């Protein structure tokens, strides 16, 4: 350990898992000068690739506690991350604003109260009669949709973000290993991680960013870590109604709990469901399109043009996410459930600080 402290920057850190959390951690740590290796055998089939990329931070209604602190920090960190990533992909952007809508009068009253209690320039009530609300009501053939707008929140394309992070990580000389880790153990101040092919990777620190599977690599009973799988699903719907122009809707919004992203005049994405299972359900179209008392005909008659899902890990018995320094140089960063894309900047900052403290 003494040697490691003296040679701070020479420490080798193994990041297990290459979803959004693993990639952000690897990048943050590589900026500090460490030698980083990311290991993952199926980085294209994870929950991060399924994400809709909504960054719902500022419109989060609980303005205290750990969850709000993480969101707040992430909102503050995102602009710098974006600037850095745009050096590698100048088309990567955060589309703003984000709109939250409801047809439930009680819920709207709560939203109104929240806005009135938070004199935040970036949050506003969408008044009845405003062009945005008129357009939304017209497209959804109703009169009772109301909501709020946040000019600080928005959406980033998750797949494009992950691809850009890969280019950036390569540029920062982060090593990538296409392997699955089946065991980790400590031996003489070093961590030995064994791959499915029986290769041993030695590192000074291990950061577990492998979502649900993190519990397979630690003594989860001893550390009292429990994670549950929660399936999230999304569909791309193609409509066939010349009278409806989906581009007259806002770029991204949530209505009665469903996230909607219009892609073109006749295509939109709807997500996501919350199921305590790992298998996609059959009637996904019905589940995702029923968010109003009366579903408009253009939506009922639409067809699924794409469908995808991802398994999110939700902590059982404690709030999301789980960020813990388990034992000497073994750090856990998992259980991001619905907000991994939003929270990645704040969590990687937390991990970097833990490692700096551990090594200093
Ligand atoms: C449909 C859907 C919509 C969503 N929308 C949003 C949204 O709008 N905004 C938002 O912020 N979040 C959203 N999320 C949530 C977000 O996707 C997750 O919170 C986030 O992806 C969690 O990232 P992760 O890196 O922890 O996990 P993952 O992306 O699942 O990555 C974990 C990685 O670990 C690897 N791994 C596992 N075990 C091992 C092992 N033993 N060895 C090596 N590698 C291993 C896996 O292969 C995987 O690549 C959405 C999720 C879904 C499914």
């Amino acid at each position: 350990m003494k040697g490691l402290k003296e040679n701070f920057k020479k420490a080798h850190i193994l990041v297990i898992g290459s979803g959004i959390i693993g990639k952000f951690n690897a990048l943050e740590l590589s900026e500090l000068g460490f030698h980083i290796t990311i290991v993952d055998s199926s980085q294209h089939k994870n929950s991060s690739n399924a994400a809709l990329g909504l960054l719902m931070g500022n419109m989060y209604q609980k303005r205290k506690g750990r969850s709000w602190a993480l969101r707040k920090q992430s909102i503050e960190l995102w602009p710098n991350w974006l600037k850095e990533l745009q050096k590698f992909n100048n088309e990567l952007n955060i589309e703003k604003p984000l709109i939250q809508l409801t047809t439930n009068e009680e819920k709207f009253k709560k939203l109104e109260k929240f806005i009135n209690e938070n004199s935040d320039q970036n949050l506003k009530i969408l008044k009845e009669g405003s062009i945005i609300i008129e357009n939304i009501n017209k497209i959804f053939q109703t009169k009772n949709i109301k909501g709020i707008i946040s000019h600080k929140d928005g959406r980033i394309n998750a797949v494009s973000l992950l691809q850009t992070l890969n280019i950036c990580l390569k540029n920062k000389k982060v090593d990538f290993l296409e392997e699955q880790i089946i065991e980790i153990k400590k031996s003489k101040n070093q961590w030995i991680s064994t791959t499915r092919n029986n290769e041993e990777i030695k590192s000074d620190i291990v950061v577990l960013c492998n979502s649900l599977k993190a519990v397979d690599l630690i003594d989860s009973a001893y550390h009292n870590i429990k994670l549950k799988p929660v399936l999230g699903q999304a569909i791309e719907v193609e409509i066939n109604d010349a009278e409806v122009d989906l581009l007259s809707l806002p770029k991204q919004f949530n209505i009665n709990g469903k996230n909607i992203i219009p892609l073109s005049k006749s295509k939109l994405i709807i997500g996501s469901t919350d199921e305590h299972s790992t298998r996609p359900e059959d009637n996904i179209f019905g589940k995702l399109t029923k968010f109003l008392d009366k579903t408009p005909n253009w939506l009922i008659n639409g067809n699924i043009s794409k469908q995808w899902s991802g398994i999110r890990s939700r902590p059982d018995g404690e709030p999301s996410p789980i960020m813990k320094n388990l034992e000497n140089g073994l750090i856990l960063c998992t259980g991001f459930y619905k907000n991994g894309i939003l929270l990645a900047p704040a969590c990687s900052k937390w991990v970097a600080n833990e490692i700096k403290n551990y090594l200093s």
Side-chain angles (χ1 to χ4, degrees):
M1 188 66 204
K2 188 167 172 274
L4 192 56
K5 282 182 185 176
E6 282 159 5
N7 294 302
F8 182 82
K9 294 206 168 169
K10 291 205 177 135
H12 177 213
I13 303 176
L14 182 70
V15 175
I16 302 180
S18 186
I20 191 71
I21 301 303
K23 288 194 203 308
F24 258 74
N25 273 309
L27 197 49
E28 177 92 46
L29 293 167
S30 76
E31 296 284 343
L32 295 176
F34 298 118
H35 169 208
I36 312 294
T37 303
I38 309 189
V39 57
D40 195 325
S41 57
S42 50
Q43 62 156 331
H44 299 293
K45 287 191 214 133
N46 54 22
S47 156
S48 301
N49 280 278
L52 300 188
L54 297 178
L55 308 176
M56 208 178 268
N58 205 40
M59 56 165 61
Y60 185 62
Q61 285 173 56
K62 230 165 81 189
R63 288 286 170 120
K64 54 182 184 207
R66 174 179 174 263
S67 184
W68 167 240
L70 286 173
R71 282 168 197 255
K72 188 167 175 282
Q73 194 187 9
S74 268
I75 309 167
E76 283 158 12
L77 292 169
W78 257 112
N80 273 344
W81 272 100
L82 188 63
K83 228 189 255 170
E84 178 61 23
L85 292 169
Q86 280 172 337
K87 291 180 194 157
F88 300 90
N89 173 5
N90 57 17
E91 283 177 15
L92 189 74
N93 218 340
I94 298 178
E95 292 277 2
K96 292 178 187 171
L98 190 58
I99 289 176
Q100 195 174 346
L101 303 164
T102 179
T103 50
N104 180 305
E105 198 53 39
E106 286 278 295
K107 285 203 176 128
F108 180 65
K109 287 220 169 87
K110 271 195 192 155
L111 288 174
E112 244 182 344
K113 188 166 173 264
F114 163 64
I115 302 276
N116 292 333
E117 283 171 0
N118 291 284
S119 51
D120 182 327
Q121 295 296 310
N122 296 295
L123 279 168
K124 293 220 162 47
I125 295 165
L126 283 169
K127 296 220 170 65
E128 255 180 294
S130 67
I131 293 178
I132 296 177
I133 288 292
E134 294 258 295
N135 277 344
I136 294 167
N137 274 316
K138 191 172 149 210
I139 297 273
F140 286 104
Q141 297 160 9
T142 178
K143 286 197 171 97
N144 57 352
I145 297 177
K146 294 176 182 175
I148 61 168
I149 183 164
S150 167
H151 290 281
K152 230 176 171 180
D153 295 322
R155 177 186 178 239
I156 192 157
N157 181 315
V159 174
S160 183
L161 169 65
L162 292 163
Q163 286 165 353
T164 309
L165 280 161
N166 278 348
I167 302 169
C168 192
L169 287 164
K170 207 170 166 192
N171 181 276
K172 307 275 174 189
K173 309 264 183 288
V174 169
D175 292 329
F176 186 83
L177 217 63
E178 215 170 314
E179 290 280 4
Q180 186 193 357
I181 299 297
I182 53 164
E183 188 187 45
I184 48 176
K185 57 177 191 278
K186 185 104 186 180
S187 169
K188 293 186 202 145
N189 281 336
Q190 278 213 311
W191 287 97
I192 316 278
S193 304
T194 310
T195 70
R196 184 157 289 288
N197 290 329
N198 253 332
E199 247 180 86
E200 288 191 339
I201 307 168
K202 290 188 180 136
S203 66
D204 303 294
I205 292 168
V206 170
V207 188
L208 291 165
C209 303
N210 55 335
S211 190
L212 277 176
K213 303 286 184 195
V215 290
D216 298 349
L217 300 177
I218 56 172
D219 185 343
S220 54
Y222 172 77
H223 294 294
N224 196 19
I225 308 283
K226 286 188 212 126
L227 293 164
K228 285 188 296 198
V230 183
L231 188 80
Q233 285 178 271
I235 51 174
E236 183 189 280
V237 179
E238 179 144 29
I239 66 157
N240 188 11
D241 187 333
E243 307 267 291
V244 175
D245 179 0
L246 297 173
L247 291 180
S248 66
L249 289 167
K251 283 183 179 150
Q252 49 266 325
F253 55 100
N254 178 292
I255 178 162
N256 290 340
K258 296 284 176 284
N259 294 323
I260 300 186
I261 302 152
L263 296 176
S264 69
K265 211 169 168 283
S266 57
K267 263 189 196 167
L268 85 177
I269 292 175
I270 313 178
S272 58
T273 56
D274 250 0
E275 288 138 50
H276 294 279
S277 94
T278 48
R279 281 239 189 114
E281 288 204 353
D282 289 342
N283 184 24
I284 186 64
F285 186 80
K287 253 192 155 175
L288 282 171
T289 53
K290 268 193 205 98
F291 47 86
L292 294 170
D293 290 341
K294 189 174 177 304
T295 308
N297 282 338
W298 58 263
L299 189 50
I300 292 178
N301 296 328
N303 292 307
I304 295 183
S305 41
K306 265 190 212 159
Q307 179 175 349
W308 65 96
S309 63
I311 296 169
R312 302 171 285 199
S313 61
R314 185 178 195 179
D316 191 1
E318 63 183 304
S320 164
I322 302 178
M323 304 193 306
K324 282 186 181 153
N325 197 339
L326 296 180
E327 53 190 287
N328 300 332
L330 179 63
I331 295 180
L332 179 63
C333 196
T334 186
F336 282 83
Y337 185 35
K338 288 189 178 186
N339 295 298
I341 310 288
L342 169 69
L343 299 181
C347 88
S348 56
K349 185 62 80 196
W350 180 88
V351 170
N353 283 337
E354 283 300 303
I355 290 178
K356 278 193 268 181
N357 289 340
Y358 171 66
L359 292 177
S360 56

